Amino acid sequence: MSVVLMLLMSLSVRAEQLPYLCDFGVQGGIGYYIGDAQPHPFMMPREVYGAQFRYKFNSRWAIQVKGQYQKVAFKYAADNIPGTMQVGYNNMINLDAVGEFNFFRYGEKTSDTRIKPITPYIFLGIGAAIYGEDDDRYGTLGIYFPFGIGMKWRFAPRWQLLVAWQHNLYFVDDVENVQSLGNTYNMNGSNFINDDLLGQLTVGIAFEFAQMKAVCKTCSWK
């Protein structure tokens, strides 16, 4: 009888240590725009918030799908009013998919000392956004290349704290939706391909689910 109890306990402990394949989370923070109107990051920062879903292939690699709302603000020279500046606003809805690489083998603490509860990571992928001014909200589509760095921390079983600094390099030069600032061919942009760039610095929380089944292929997780 004692042997049976010991076996059941060992199976229970083993099951608790199996990794979760998915997580869902929310995040919020500040965002900024770099382009023809603003040459530096964190000028006139505004709110960013959204949600994400992540699927983990193993302790190093994952894919994430994320949707975010971002308010863009910038200053530019007002038409026909010399020496004055006008504030422009834009509404962005971004949806992207990125591949992630963890610098450390990331997961719940086990007897394997290679698995860490905290790791920095990098990511890149592809995304699309709809945007526009208040009187033409979400009337324009733009494709962008998302990339960035982040940090993941498992502060409790199945719960993670996430910090990410993401950059969206657009393949368009009209994120402002202001005709005088869409000047691709005269090369007045502020990055090497002369297109607009948006950034987001966010903090989020995620909950894990879909625990891996206890089969032999779990060995490949590490």
Side-chain angles (χ1 to χ4, degrees), residues 54-92:
R54 179 182 289 106
Y55 179 83
K56 308 166 193 175
F57 297 103
N58 52 43
S59 61
R60 293 274 197 178
W61 292 95
I63 187 170
Q64 179 186 238
V65 177
K66 178 164 57 181
Q68 288 186 329
Y69 168 83
Q70 178 174 358
K71 188 81 170 182
V72 175
F74 51 91
K75 292 183 179 180
Y76 64 99
D79 294 337
N80 302 319
I81 309 177
T84 62
M85 299 296 291
Q86 181 173 336
V87 177
Y89 295 96
N90 229 333
N91 304 284
M92 313 283 299

Side-chain angles (χ1 to χ4, degrees), residues 163-195:
V163 179
W165 188 13
Q166 178 169 328
H167 303 80
N168 298 341
L169 181 58
Y170 282 78
F171 299 115
V172 295
D173 191 27
D174 65 347
V175 165
E176 310 89 352
N177 262 8
V178 176
Q179 186 174 2
S180 62
L181 298 177
N183 198 20
T184 299
Y185 298 107
N186 288 339
M187 298 300 290
N188 67 350
S190 56
N191 59 67
F192 68 96
I193 65 171
N194 192 53
D195 287 333

